[in-house]
Amino acid sequence: MATEEQMKNPLLVGKAIRAQLEEEIPVDLPLDRDFREGSEYTITDHMQDLHTKLVKDPRTLELFSSMITHLHAFAREVRPTHDEWEKTITFLTRCGKESTEFKNEFICLSDVLGMSALIDELNHPKPLGCTDSCEEGPFWYTDMPELPSGCSIASSDTTGESMFFEATIKDTKGQPVKGAKVDLWQADGDGIYDVQEPEREEPNDRGRIIAEEDGSFCYRGVLPTAYPIPSDGPVGDLLRLLGRHPHRSSHIHFHLRAPGFDPLTTALYPSHSPFLGTDPVFATKKSLICDVYPESDPSRWAEMGFRDDEVRNGRVWVWKFNFVLATIDEVNALK
């Protein structure tokens, strides 16, 4: 083990390290035994021993010990060549270089490898019968306009066919969840979100609605359509390599929050949409797919709050769903 005096000896240590030693003296440990693949003491064992002695936070030690174990086991199983590993490093380097404020390739990578969906499920287990969750995606923001139930969330110039969405919010015992706050946001009939329209100054196709006393809420808007995740970078190249596409099926996003209940982030999907089984980010779940039907009776349009001149193509798409929330105690019990 090197002493502090040896670390500062210009005969042994270059000036870059000597400059750093003015701030902090690193822990130095002796190398008591050799490590070699195929022996009873490998580089994996050496790294675990080293971290056990140096890492102070137990959770950090747990995370990195497990990661190293599985990463090294992967390498031993598939035996990547130097060229294959170099391609991997080049790919990850591209993810960093090509990430921007509006397109984070590492988040996209987490999504398309199923990690985002898995981490969400691990952190938000649901009792049987509760509404499944999924990741919120990149288009939610906190400054939602607060709107009454029954309102329209879409401006008159929004592209898309008319839609009426109505839902109930209940607990696992079938009782209504009163006063739940519901954030909802969606793409329009061209698959475009308001934040993707630089000329638009006011929020559109989004809002925050407080559920009624009976746990219900509804709104008028337009039927969303499918759209792609960014595919012009390394993650798009990865999808093509795997024979997959970047297209997400049509959906509406929701945040539901109520005192005493585990917050729910989810999305609903119409059964007529393509790409339900090949969602690139694995946010589509069978329990979240809904039958949506066209209503052509003008008297029903009026009941929903539409004027005849607001309805396009002679129909309103009706979308219904029953949300079931778990309490915080129920989720903690599952964890």
Side-chain angles (χ1 to χ4, degrees):
M1 182 187 300
T3 66
E4 181 178 341
E5 183 179 347
Q6 286 175 307
M7 291 184 189
K8 294 183 177 181
N9 187 336
L11 184 65
L12 305 175
V13 177
K15 71 175 184 179
I17 293 181
R18 296 200 310 272
Q20 293 174 2
L21 295 179
E22 297 297 327
E23 303 294 331
E24 182 180 5
I25 304 296
V27 177
D28 182 40
L29 300 175
L31 185 60
D32 292 327
R33 61 188 299 191
D34 206 357
F35 52 88
R36 181 177 290 106
E37 188 64 19
S39 74
E40 61 181 33
Y41 191 72
T42 68
I43 188 172
T44 310
D45 301 313
H46 179 60
M47 287 189 68
Q48 305 293 33
D49 286 349
L50 188 66
H51 290 157
T52 299
K53 295 171 183 175
L54 296 178
V55 178
K56 297 178 180 178
D57 178 64
R59 178 59 173 167
T60 301
L61 178 61
E62 179 186 14
L63 290 171
F64 276 85
S65 294
S66 182
M67 182 189 71
I68 289 165
T69 296
H70 289 283
L71 182 62
H72 288 199
F74 163 77
R76 291 185 175 101
E77 179 182 345
V78 302
R79 295 181 176 273
T81 65
H82 285 289
D83 183 58
E84 289 169 333
W85 191 241
E86 184 177 346
K87 288 179 179 178
T88 302
I89 299 300
T90 300
F91 171 80
L92 294 174
T93 302
R94 285 185 60 203
C95 286
K97 287 183 175 180
E98 297 184 30
S99 290
T100 67
E101 180 183 356
F102 305 103
K103 187 191 71 166
N104 188 312
E105 288 285 332
F106 275 109
I107 291 178
C108 288
L109 181 61
S110 172
D111 292 344
V112 304
L113 292 180
M115 282 298 293
S116 299
L118 176 58
I119 289 173
D120 178 65
E121 289 190 2
L122 292 173
N123 282 277
H124 295 280
K126 298 286 187 293
L128 191 63
C130 288
T131 304
D132 283 322
S133 63
C134 67
E135 288 292 289
E136 69 185 19
F139 299 116
W140 177 79
Y141 55 79
T142 57
D143 190 21
M144 289 277 189
E146 294 196 9
L147 303 168
S149 180
C151 69
S152 173
I153 67 166
S155 62
S156 59
D157 62 346
T158 304
T159 301
E161 295 199 8
S162 301
M163 179 192 72
F164 181 74
F165 181 91
E166 61 178 335
T168 61
I169 308 173
K170 296 183 179 180
D171 63 18
T172 55
K173 298 177 175 61
Q175 298 301 308
V177 178
K178 303 175 183 179
K181 289 185 178 181
V182 183
D183 285 6
L184 51 98
W185 67 104
Q186 62 167 84
D188 64 15
D190 277 336
I192 304 295
Y193 287 83
D194 56 356
V195 293
Q196 295 176 302
E197 300 181 272
E199 71 281 1
R200 184 175 290 280
E201 297 180 354
E202 297 295 325
N204 194 38
D205 294 319
R206 69 177 65 235
R208 178 172 294 139
I209 297 176
I210 307 299
E212 305 286 357
E213 286 294 301
D214 62 357
S216 68
F217 72 95
C218 62
Y219 73 90
R220 289 172 285 126
V222 298
L223 189 69
T225 58
Y227 62 85
I229 65 170
S231 60
D232 59 344
V235 173
D237 292 342
L238 175 64
L239 287 174
R240 285 183 282 274
L241 177 67
L242 298 174
R244 292 163 56 189
H245 61 73
H247 309 307
R248 299 219 58 211
S249 51
S250 310
H251 57 276
I252 305 173
H253 292 278
F254 297 89
H255 275 323
L256 291 90
R257 301 182 301 278
F261 288 87
D262 189 52
L264 173 66
T265 300
T266 191
L268 301 179
Y269 304 80
S271 57
H272 63 246
S273 179
F275 315 125
L276 293 169
T278 50
D279 183 348
V281 302
F282 304 102
T284 306
K285 299 175 181 177
K286 189 170 177 59
S287 65
L288 302 176
I289 298 173
C290 313
D291 288 330
V292 180
Y293 66 91
E295 176 59 71
S296 56
D297 183 352
S299 65
R300 287 285 296 123
W301 302 343
E303 293 173 8
M304 299 173 198
F306 288 99
R307 300 191 312 269
D308 287 356
D309 61 354
E310 291 180 309
V311 176
R312 302 164 187 177
N313 297 330
R315 59 191 177 190
V316 171
W317 292 91
V318 179
W319 193 330
K320 299 181 180 182
F321 192 76
N322 300 314
F323 293 99
V324 179
L325 300 185
T327 64
I328 294 174
D329 290 341
E330 288 172 327
V331 170
N332 287 338
L334 285 175
K335 286 183 178 179

